[in-house]
């Protein structure tokens, strides 16, 4: 992983620590090896054997792999080193430094041309394309594009807790994940609940969905619903590769309102639908599919992407990026303390989703962590500092059945 941030956004002097390949990454040879030069010692692989050599000044010393077996020799004061074949292994579902370098660029600009990505990571365009194709083919990475209904004041977003009979949680979660209206479905530690975020056309449609559809599923014992009153942070505002907050997060930190979103017409919606099918579709093809001039297509796209109303982003489960522990928390916060709590929470880079809901529990949030100790430190440092909290409920996610509207595959 490129960095591991230990300080809060906007906290003054945020600390970032480089691990492994802290700088540019370069692939040399058929093995797609990587070179990184950071404070902790980079890795360099050359040729089909993907030999590795550490070139940084880290305490652990450099490592050099020589020969077809990738044998390693320690060159620093700390001793042992390891040769690992294709690039340097980093946390996160088998991704190496070059993979993370590519994802870092595409996280900032999902439509960046391969030539631009290749220049940023110091690899060949074909290597970048091949790496990205591999990550998207096996489902670890995807590109998503969607208009955010909460920012457009369209429909109703609801958070639903579905209590299940013992032995029926998995079956109910699979059924809920198959519904078009659900955007996320997960199971966490604690009670036998399946947690669902869904989008309905209105309150009548929400009642019908909750009572007639979900309420009649076999294995459902009870349902608790809450309406999202205010969307504060989404996965688009979780930036594991960056130390600067997004514009939306900055507004939450400062306690200021977001600018009014642009008006979205039918042409905009058709454009977004094309991006939903292929987020990296060329502007030339977008214009052809929309039957408009390329200048018009480019201008429309720029207007939408410059606003918060369009979420066009690289999507990857946090575990893929080295954050396998995901937490869910609900906080009861009095109205007089709500804004202060929001500003404090928004400063935390680990926070990737935050909403204000109806009901006794006013704040619902999700956070991502490297391990359980990181989560424990987060709760002690952040949740314990919130003023006036009347109730706190935390849980760790055990399984995610649907995320960003895409259902996961489970047996």
């Amino acid at each position: 992983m490129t960095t591991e941030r230990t300080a809060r956004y906007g906290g003054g002097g945020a600390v970032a620590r480089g691990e492994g390949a802290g700088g540019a990454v370069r692939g040399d040879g058929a093995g797609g090896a990587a070179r990184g030069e950071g404070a902790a010692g980079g890795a360099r692989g050359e040729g089909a054997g993907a030999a590795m050599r550490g070139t940084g000044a880290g305490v652990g010393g450099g490592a050099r792999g020589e020969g077809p077996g990738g044998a390693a020799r320690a060159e620093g004061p700390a001793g042992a080193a390891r040769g690992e074949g294709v690039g340097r292994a980093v946390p996160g579902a088998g991704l190496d430094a070059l993979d993370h370098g590519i994802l870092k660029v595409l996280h900032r600009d999902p439509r960046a041309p391969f030539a631009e990505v290749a220049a940023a990571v110091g690899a060949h365009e074909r290597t970048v394309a091949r790496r990205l194709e591999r990550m998207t083919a096996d489902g670890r990475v995807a590109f998503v594009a969607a208009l955010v209904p909460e920012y457009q004041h369209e429909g109703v977003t609801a958070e639903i807790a579905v209590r299940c009979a013992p032995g029926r949680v998995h079956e109910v979660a699979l059924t809920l994940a198959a519904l078009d209206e659900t955007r996320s479905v997960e199971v966490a530690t604690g009670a036998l609940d399946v947690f669902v975020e869904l989008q309905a056309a209105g309150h009548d449609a929400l009642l019908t969905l909750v009572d007639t559809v979900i309420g009649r599923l076999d294995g459902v014992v009870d349902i608790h619903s809450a309406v999202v009153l205010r969307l504060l942070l989404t996965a688009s505002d979780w930036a594991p590769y960056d130390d600067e907050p997004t514009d939306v997060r900055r507004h939450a930190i400062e306690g200021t309102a977001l600018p009014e979103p642009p008006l979205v017409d039918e042409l905009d919606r058709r454009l977004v639908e094309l991006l939903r099918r292929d987020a990296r579709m060329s502007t030339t093809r977008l214009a052809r599919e929309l039957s408009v001039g390329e200048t018009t297509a480019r201008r429309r796209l720029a207007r939408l992407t410059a606003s918060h109303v369009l979420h066009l982003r690289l999507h990857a489960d946090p575990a893929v990026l080295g954050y396998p522990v995901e937490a869910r928390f609900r906080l009861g916060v009095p109205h007089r303390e709500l804004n202060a709590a929001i500003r404090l929470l928004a400063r935390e880079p680990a926070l990737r989703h935050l909403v204000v809901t109806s009901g006794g529990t006013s704040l619902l949030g999700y956070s991502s962590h490297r391990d359980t100790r990181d989560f424990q430190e987060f709760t002690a440092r952040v949740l314990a500092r919130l003023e006036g909290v009347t109730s706190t409920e935390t849980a760790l996610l055990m399984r995610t059945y649907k995320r960003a509207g895409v259902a996961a595959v489970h047996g």
Side-chain angles (χ1 to χ4, degrees):
M1 186 64 60
T2 306
T3 59
E4 181 179 352
R5 289 158 299 156
T6 59
R8 292 178 292 277
Y9 286 129
V15 178
R17 185 174 73 239
E19 293 184 343
V25 182
R26 187 177 74 199
D28 295 305
R35 176 184 178 183
E37 295 178 334
R44 178 175 181 178
E46 297 179 314
M52 294 179 57
R53 185 176 67 202
T55 59
V59 175
R64 180 173 184 173
E66 298 179 333
R73 183 176 74 219
E75 296 180 342
R82 186 174 70 223
E84 298 187 37
V86 183
R88 174 173 177 170
V90 291
L95 302 185
D96 64 18
L98 180 55
D99 291 327
H100 282 287
I102 294 169
L103 296 183
K104 179 177 181 178
V105 177
L106 292 175
H107 182 270
R108 294 171 177 170
D109 182 5
R111 289 176 55 79
F114 283 136
E116 182 178 319
V117 180
V121 301
H124 195 281
E125 287 184 49
R126 289 195 300 272
T127 300
V128 170
R130 187 167 57 248
R131 290 291 187 107
L132 183 60
E133 181 180 6
R134 185 195 67 200
M135 288 186 282
T136 55
D138 61 20
R140 287 180 292 180
V141 171
F143 293 93
V144 296
L147 294 169
V148 184
E150 292 93 332
Y151 292 146
Q152 297 177 276
H153 311 294
E154 292 181 349
V156 177
T157 303
E159 302 287 345
I160 312 292
V162 181
R163 179 66 56 86
C164 300
R168 306 302 294 273
V169 171
H170 180 64
E171 178 186 347
V172 170
L174 286 174
T175 303
L176 292 172
L179 297 177
D180 292 338
E181 294 87 351
T182 58
R183 299 198 300 200
S184 69
V185 178
E186 65 230 359
V187 175
T189 56
L192 292 175
D193 287 343
V194 178
F195 297 106
V196 182
E197 181 185 80
L198 57 83
Q199 181 72 22
H203 289 93
D204 284 344
L206 175 61
L207 176 60
T208 300
L209 186 61
V210 170
D211 185 45
T212 306
V213 180
I214 299 176
R216 295 182 182 180
L217 294 178
D218 289 339
V220 171
V221 174
D222 193 15
I223 300 175
H224 179 272
S225 62
V227 171
V228 173
L229 303 177
R230 185 178 172 193
L231 177 63
L232 297 162
L233 297 176
T234 72
S236 291
D237 302 304
W238 184 59
Y241 291 114
D242 296 317
D243 294 315
E244 290 298 319
T246 64
D247 287 340
V248 171
R249 187 184 287 268
R250 186 175 289 108
H251 278 284
I253 292 172
E254 296 171 353
T256 56
L258 289 170
E260 275 298 308
L263 294 177
V264 176
D265 61 18
E266 184 58 31
L267 181 60
D268 292 324
R269 294 182 187 279
R270 288 169 53 204
L271 173 61
V272 174
E273 175 60 24
L274 290 173
L275 293 173
R276 187 189 66 79
R277 299 175 191 172
D278 180 4
R280 292 175 55 80
M281 185 181 295
S282 70
T283 307
T284 301
R285 185 179 170 193
L286 286 171
R288 185 170 63 250
E289 295 285 343
L290 294 171
S291 300
V292 298
E294 193 167 335
T295 300
T296 299
R298 183 178 294 107
R299 185 173 60 247
R300 290 285 185 131
L301 179 58
R303 182 173 62 91
L304 289 173
T305 54
S307 75
H308 55 282
V309 73
L310 171 65
H311 279 183
L312 174 62
R313 64 184 177 89
L314 176 78
H315 166 73
D317 285 356
V320 171
L321 304 181
Y323 297 83
V325 176
E326 297 184 73
R328 182 182 196 273
F329 61 86
R330 296 187 67 93
L331 306 174
V333 183
H335 289 294
R336 65 179 177 276
E337 307 287 355
L338 189 58
N339 288 335
I342 290 170
R343 291 197 297 272
L344 178 63
L345 288 167
R347 290 180 182 273
E348 291 296 322
L351 209 69
R352 63 175 177 82
H353 188 78
L354 186 65
V355 295
V356 177
T357 68
S358 63
T361 306
S362 51
L363 282 176
L364 169 65
Y366 288 80
S367 58
S368 299
H369 308 272
R370 292 192 182 279
D371 50 40
T372 53
R373 185 175 66 175
D374 183 25
F375 167 65
Q376 184 180 14
E377 292 173 352
F378 169 80
T379 58
R381 184 182 69 252
V382 182
L383 301 187
R385 292 177 54 200
L386 297 175
E387 297 290 339
V389 174
T390 58
S391 64
T392 303
E393 177 187 336
T394 62
L396 297 180
L397 300 192
M398 294 190 290
R399 179 175 290 182
T400 298
Y401 289 79
K402 193 173 190 178
R403 194 195 300 269
V406 180
V409 178
H410 295 291

